Amino acid sequence: MSGSKPRDLIGDIHRQQRRRVLRRAAVVTALAIALLVLGIALKLLQETRHRDQVIEAARANFASGTATDLQAAAEQLEAGLDEHPGDPWLLGSLALARAQQRAEFGEAVDEARAAAAELTGTDTHDGALALAMLALDEGRLDAAGTALTTASALEDTRSIAPDHEQWVAWMLAVVDPYADVAAAIEQLSASLDQDASVSSRRLLA
């Protein structure tokens, strides 16, 4: 077959080498991307665990319920926000701790208002409870009732005060002339098995 062209062996070798280089580069790139994604996932997991530890510690202080304990809870949450700025769960929990200080002990009035102002754009159980308590303290009963309904519908596994809406409902019933106080007391009493807060027990003492 005299008309056939001779194979370009050197060219074939170069093309094979280029394919190997490209495959190796693709593998290295894929590995680098996988490591980057893994690193980001681990960082997010670590941040989530730390955030949850902060909330758990603050929950214990909130449940103890003294003025000193509530202040400690607020300080723990503020420290958590230094590590996780803008975290909606921590913002909501801080607002609730400050609102409880204001409602029960008349303390942290300015801090409670400032913490509530930071809740814009968040949607958490504790944040809604804090807004309900502040509205109640300011005599805005309709707004308090709306915020309380919102809180009751939100997930509370990352709350410093799960079931604390019964405490707020009782406080609202006391000042609302149309509320059923007896029903509120019954609901608060029934919630004590789930609500570890001393604040609820103080109301029924």
Side-chain angles (χ1 to χ4, degrees):
M1 301 196 48
S2 58
S4 300
K5 294 182 179 180
R7 289 183 60 187
D8 183 1
L9 296 177
I10 295 178
D12 287 346
I13 293 171
H14 287 169
R15 282 189 290 272
Q16 290 174 4
Q17 288 176 335
R18 282 195 295 271
R19 283 195 292 268
R20 291 193 190 97
V21 170
L22 290 174
R23 282 197 297 269
R24 189 177 297 114
V27 170
V28 170
T29 300
L31 180 59
I33 292 172
L35 290 174
L36 176 62
V37 171
L38 178 61
I40 292 173
L42 289 174
K43 184 175 185 297
L44 290 174
L45 178 61
Q46 184 180 25
E47 289 178 350
T48 298
R49 284 179 175 173
H50 180 261
R51 188 269 316 280
D52 289 349
Q53 288 170 354
V54 171
I55 290 175
E56 184 177 352
R59 183 186 299 135
N61 277 317
F62 190 96
S64 296
T66 68
T68 300
D69 290 328
L70 289 175
Q71 177 61 26
E75 290 174 357
Q76 288 168 325
L77 293 162
E78 287 174 338
L81 281 165
D82 288 339
E83 295 287 332
H84 311 286
D87 182 89
W89 300 99
L90 293 175
L91 287 171
S93 294
L94 175 59
L96 179 56
R98 290 305 192 188
Q100 192 72 22
Q101 286 182 281
R102 175 176 173 170
E104 280 209 276
F105 300 105
E107 299 176 350
V109 174
D110 292 337
E111 291 89 341
R113 192 176 294 113
E118 294 294 323
L119 295 177
T120 302
T122 67
D123 189 24
T124 67
H125 170 271
D126 286 3
L129 269 186
L131 293 176
M133 292 171 68
L134 292 178
L136 177 59
D137 195 54
E138 295 168 356
R140 297 181 288 111
L141 302 188
D142 288 344
T146 299
L148 180 58
T149 299
T150 299
S152 298
L154 291 171
E155 183 263 331
D156 64 1
T157 57
R158 287 192 172 96
S159 168
I160 60 168
D163 299 308
H164 197 60
E165 54 263 37
Q166 301 302 336
W167 187 94
V168 181
W170 191 95
M171 296 296 289
L172 180 59
V174 169
V175 298
D176 185 348
Y178 302 105
D180 187 340
V181 177
I185 292 175
E186 183 178 348
Q187 290 174 353
L188 181 63
S189 299
S191 73
L192 291 182
D193 287 341
Q194 290 77 39
D195 185 358
S197 172
V198 171
S199 300
S200 296
R201 287 165 172 76
R202 274 199 292 262
L203 288 181
L204 298 174

